[in-house]
Amino acid sequence: MTRTPASSAHEREVSGAPSAPIAPGDASLSNGLKQRHLSMIALGGVIGAGLFVGSGAGIAKAGPGIVLAYAVSGLLVMLVMRMLGELSAANPASGTFSVHAERAIGPWAGFTAGWMFWVELCVGIAVEAIGAAAIMVSWFPATSSWMWVLLFMILFCGTNLAAVGNFGEFEFWFATLKVGAIGIFLVLGVLAVLGLLPGTSSPGGDNLTGAGGFLPNGLNGLIIGLLASVFAYGGLETVTIAAAESEHPVRGVAKAVRTAMWRIALFYVGSMLVVVTLIPWDDKSVVKDGPYVAVLNHLDIPAAGQIMNVIVLIALLSAMNANIYGASRMSYSLVARGQGPKFLGKTFGGVPRLTVLASSAFGFFAVLLSYWWPDTVFKWLLYMTGAAVLVVWAFIAATQLLSRSRLQREAPERLVVRMWFFPYLTWIALFAILGVLALMLREEDTRLQLYFTAGLTAVLALGGYVRQRAVAARN
């Protein structure tokens, strides 16, 4: 692969007119990811610890209606992923939606969306490291949490400092294990629902309609379940970042996006349907142990709790690895476009090692904040990123609205992936995102998250606008 300076590569990224396509990926980065890596990153990227454990709280509020909540939020995620796929297949870039927002809306938008995503991922690194460490301490009580956090940070920082193929291999096997676990769970669950699993009898629809009905807590419970399910889908953006470093960026991201649609429905909606069909929604073990452990215990699967602990640990480590990767590539793209400290913009062997170190350091600092000020500074940091994924999705929708018409007029051959029923579904998705943000005002905790995230968005937007005006004045 021919190398060109990072600055010139990124000038092509933001040159303005769609008729001047972005280079395939970033010329200063390597292209060490294979199609199998991209496929599994797309497949496993949306399977996180939130699905295995956090979904229990949603079931406790929405009852069997959690299936509807996940179906609705899943449709929104599919639309966002399709929009992002259209943008990324037309113009593959490591800065993904940040680059596209800069071209379509303005530099301030690329700055805001990019750094918002970076902060979100770095805080995610801390949360996942703390969660993984807690599992390890439960297995090895004589150890301390900070030891495991440090070990995981060194391991995945080191992985991302090496060739991008190492990240791809880790994610390939992590995703394979997660997908395998979900697949086995679904097979066992369906057999039990049909009464074909030895020692079980079919529950029919008793658990779906009993104990208060399909929506035992009414519309309010459904809304709470909807909010819980929306945030469980985070992570879908990583595949479009990774596509820029693949062997065939356009073909890779197009295939990954197209095949991810039915998988979202199968893994999330399908598994929720299995859970609420097999056991009563108000079973205390659903929240206490997690819905998957509760079902496996119901089916008398030996060591169900420890099996799920292993799967959750894998999900946490996978997310941690992916977040370091995604944060480093997003910040590298921002720096190379003049929207961050210049000294971070160097690559070594096709790897932006300085942004890997900076992103890992921020994540580790967030872990320290959780020890020093868990109820103040760290909680504020969590609140600031609480609705960040929705802000990013809103930028994606707005960007796709503005970009599609220009692409169709000036370079229709680059529309390898097309958003369905444009512009109607894009507008529906954008209004749905704004609707979810409005629903966050209903509950105190989500309301605080919304306020803090709005504050961070405003600060970043103001900083991006001031920088944009300063650059314009110099030119």
Side-chain angles (χ1 to χ4, degrees), residues 347-370:
T347 59
F348 304 84
V351 178
R353 291 177 182 167
L354 295 180
T355 57
V356 170
L357 290 171
S359 301
S360 300
F362 187 93
F364 189 70
F365 179 66
V367 172
L368 295 179
L369 291 178
S370 75

Side-chain angles (χ1 to χ4, degrees), residues 97-98 101-102 105-120 330 334 337 339 388 391-392 395 453-468:
F97 54 83
S98 172
E102 181 167 342
I105 305 173
W108 72 268
F111 180 95
T112 305
W115 285 116
M116 171 71 75
F117 187 67
W118 182 80
V119 174
E120 176 194 353
M330 178 59 75
L334 287 161
R337 285 180 278 138
Q339 297 188 349
V391 174
V392 168
F395 270 110
T453 303
L456 176 61
T457 305
V459 169
L460 289 174
L462 179 61
Y465 180 73
V466 169
R467 177 196 165 276
Q468 180 177 321

